[in-house]
Amino acid sequence: MTSFADELRRLMGDLSLRKVAQRTHCGKSTIGDLLSGRRSPTVRLAQALDMALGGDGTLVALAEAEQNQKSARGKSSAASPPDAAEDLLPGWDDDVLRRTLLKASAATAALAGLGPTAGNPLEGTSHDLLVAHQDLRAVHGRLDNLRGAQAVYAAARDHHDRICAWLATTSSDTERQRLHALASDTGGFVGFLTYDLGQCELAISHYRDAATHASRASDISSCCNLLGQTSRVLADLGHYDQALLVADRALHLAGTRAHPAVRCWLHAVRAHHHARLTDRASAHGDLDAAWHLFSHAEDGEKPPYIGYLSEAELNKWTGHTAVALAVSDRTALRTGQRALDAARAAWPAAMVRGSAEVLTASARMSIAYHDHEQAKSLIEQAISIAATTGSARNLQAALHTRATVLTGT
């Protein structure tokens, strides 16, 4: 039997990944994964591709056949996100997680039996469905914080594809605008999960696709936030000049129009880039701007995708910047030490995975103070959390820091 990937390749002909992605409002990486067989097609995504490529239902039929084959082998195919989450979280007995899964079940109950109809305005069941998708995105975020990217990645990718498939079939301008906004959120979340799993180049591609959705939704804050996320990944790759360029572009685009929380976070991230490039004055200037904007961040209109911004998060970035400046700025050490102590003390219990990053930064600060015993204690905690949550980026950073402790350099 012809495979889905083979039929998709035939229908695409000479069309580029970019062209197909534009027609279906999906990311290029999604189309590439389908062609390579790394990704199983969902029926909704197959519908969008059939419509865009004139498949006359062949891709839907092949997608359904592949799902049936997986079911016959006892594998879950196209499982609803909560089912997938429960499969990936066996035996987890935390009260917070139980409440989260109950909310996931409620969101999926709202999704069940509701299907987007081309041409429907955002009212009635279509509006209910959009709200349910927003709730489900929030649930995925909470599960990620508790258990890490591996626990929710497959469900989040499938969810994003469902949004893109709906977007490809709607003829309502109002619905399209709101779906672009949702796709920028779900796509950006997939980008972060990919980044956390250590696939930086792929994460940048996801962020770029998500920023395109944000632009089409006319959401300047989301667009700037996604550029900032891209900047952060570039810095992790050691490309500090490029990271600074992207952060500069994001802040220029943000102006005074983007939400203060987004601008606050962008200044905090850019402070770290300046510190890595040994520009002490610019780093301190960005930190001052970040803390000033933070006082305006909680205005009741903070977008959900920047909901993680808190005093603890900003203290974490103050610490990152101080560690980078430690060689040439002893005053920064004292400021950074206080900031990281405050970040650890106030770090939200539900954001398990993120605490590994704070602990690693604190260990680096202890190394700068030549307190290697304290550094060892902190870094072992960070390694344990990073390994438990499957955070490749945090584990790599923690292991690198431990090597520094062990060598005493």
Side-chain angles (χ1 to χ4, degrees), residues 236 240 272 276 316-317 319-324 326-327 330 333 336-337 340 344 356-372 374-376 378-379 382 393-405 409:
D236 269 12
Y240 300 118
H272 172 257
R276 284 293 185 182
K316 179 191 77 177
W317 281 101
H320 279 322
T321 302
V323 170
V327 174
R330 303 303 293 182
L333 272 182
Q337 181 71 68
L340 287 170
R344 291 206 314 278
E357 185 179 348
V358 181
L359 288 164
T360 298
S362 296
R364 288 172 177 165
M365 182 62 71
S366 295
I367 293 171
Y369 272 112
H370 305 291
D371 187 348
H372 284 222
Q374 173 73 354
K376 287 179 184 178
L378 291 167
I379 206 60
R393 69 179 179 95
N394 279 326
L395 185 59
Q396 182 179 15
L399 290 173
H400 180 268
T401 302
R402 184 171 70 175
T404 302
V405 175
T409 58

Side-chain angles (χ1 to χ4, degrees), residues 184 211 214-215 217-229 250 253-263 265-266 301-306:
S184 73
S215 178
S218 301
D219 189 339
I220 188 70
S221 292
S222 177
C223 202
C224 292
N225 177 59
L226 290 160
L227 284 173
Q229 298 289 354
L253 180 63
T256 57
R257 295 178 298 161
H259 191 276
V262 172
R263 288 151 51 206
W265 186 79
L266 286 172
E301 298 181 1
K302 186 165 74 172
Y305 48 75
I306 195 71

Side-chain angles (χ1 to χ4, degrees), residues 12-363:
M12 284 177 59
D14 295 328
L15 289 175
S16 66
L17 290 178
R18 180 181 296 278
K19 182 65 68 175
V20 177
Q22 288 173 343
R23 290 186 181 185
T24 57
H25 301 286
C26 295
K28 289 191 300 179
S29 59
T30 298
I31 308 300
D33 286 351
L34 289 170
L35 286 171
S36 66
R38 291 191 299 269
R39 184 182 184 83
S40 297
T42 63
V43 172
R44 288 179 185 247
L45 182 54
Q47 287 172 339
L49 288 164
D50 261 333
M51 181 174 293
L53 301 173
D56 202 22
T58 56
L59 290 175
V60 170
L62 288 169
E64 289 176 340
E66 289 191 10
Q67 288 183 1
N68 290 335
Q69 287 177 351
K70 286 186 176 181
S71 295
R73 292 196 299 267
K75 294 181 179 179
S76 171
S77 68
S80 64
D83 291 338
E86 288 171 349
D87 289 342
L88 289 163
L89 300 173
W92 186 263
D93 196 32
D94 188 273
D95 286 340
V96 176
L97 183 57
R98 282 201 294 271
R99 290 195 296 272
T100 298
L101 289 173
L102 284 173
K103 290 180 181 179
S105 299
T108 302
L111 288 171
L114 294 177
T117 303
N120 257 9
L122 270 179
E123 60 185 15
T125 58
S126 187
H127 174 73
D128 293 340
L129 181 61
L130 184 77
V131 171
H133 276 298
Q134 291 169 335
D135 289 344
L136 192 55
R137 160 64 184 91
V139 166
H140 287 161
R142 288 191 289 272
L143 288 173
D144 170 50
N145 283 327
L146 285 166
R147 289 297 306 270
Q150 289 179 328
V152 74
Y153 182 78
R157 282 291 299 259
D158 179 71
H159 185 213
H160 179 61
D161 286 345
R162 293 169 71 186
I163 300 302
C164 291
W166 182 2
L167 183 55
T169 58
T170 186
S171 59
S172 164
D173 289 339
T174 303
E175 190 167 271
R176 185 178 297 110
Q177 183 87 353
R178 297 191 185 182
L179 284 170
H180 274 305
L182 182 56
S184 73
D185 189 17
T186 58
F189 181 54
V190 170
F192 176 76
L193 296 176
T194 306
Y195 163 54
D196 197 50
L197 292 171
Q199 301 179 54
C200 291
E201 298 293 345
L202 183 56
I204 290 172
S205 176
H206 285 309
Y207 282 138
R208 186 182 301 116
D209 291 340
T212 300
H213 285 296
S215 178
R216 291 174 180 170
S218 301
D219 189 339
I220 188 70
S221 292
S222 177
C223 202
C224 292
N225 177 59
L226 290 160
L227 284 173
Q229 298 289 354
T230 302
S231 169
R232 180 184 184 183
V233 178
L234 286 168
D236 269 12
L237 289 170
H239 306 318
Y240 300 118
D241 287 321
Q242 293 180 42
L244 183 59
L245 201 63
V246 175
D248 285 344
R249 188 181 310 156
L251 279 163
H252 177 74
L253 180 63
T256 57
R257 295 178 298 161
H259 191 276
V262 172
R263 288 151 51 206
C264 166
W265 186 79
L266 286 172
H267 275 292
V269 171
R270 193 173 69 170
H272 172 257
H273 301 341
H274 279 306
R276 284 293 185 182
L277 292 167
T278 66
D279 186 344
R280 177 179 176 276
S282 295
H284 284 298
D286 267 321
L287 281 181
D288 288 344
W291 281 104
H292 172 73
L293 284 163
F294 182 70
S295 63
H296 303 284
E298 297 296 340
D299 60 355
E301 298 181 1
K302 186 165 74 172
Y305 48 75
I306 195 71
Y308 58 84
L309 182 71
S310 63
E311 188 170 353
E313 173 74 10
L314 194 48
N315 271 318
K316 179 191 77 177
W317 281 101
T318 300
H320 279 322
T321 302
V323 170
L325 290 173
V327 174
S328 59
D329 189 345
R330 303 303 293 182
T331 302
L333 272 182
R334 292 189 291 274
T335 301
Q337 181 71 68
R338 288 194 297 270
L340 287 170
D341 287 347
R344 291 206 314 278
W347 197 256
M351 296 180 68
V352 177
R353 185 266 321 286
S355 62
E357 185 179 348
V358 181
L359 288 164
T360 298
S362 296

Side-chain angles (χ1 to χ4, degrees), residues 11 185 245 377 391:
L11 290 172
D185 189 17
L245 201 63
S377 174
S391 176

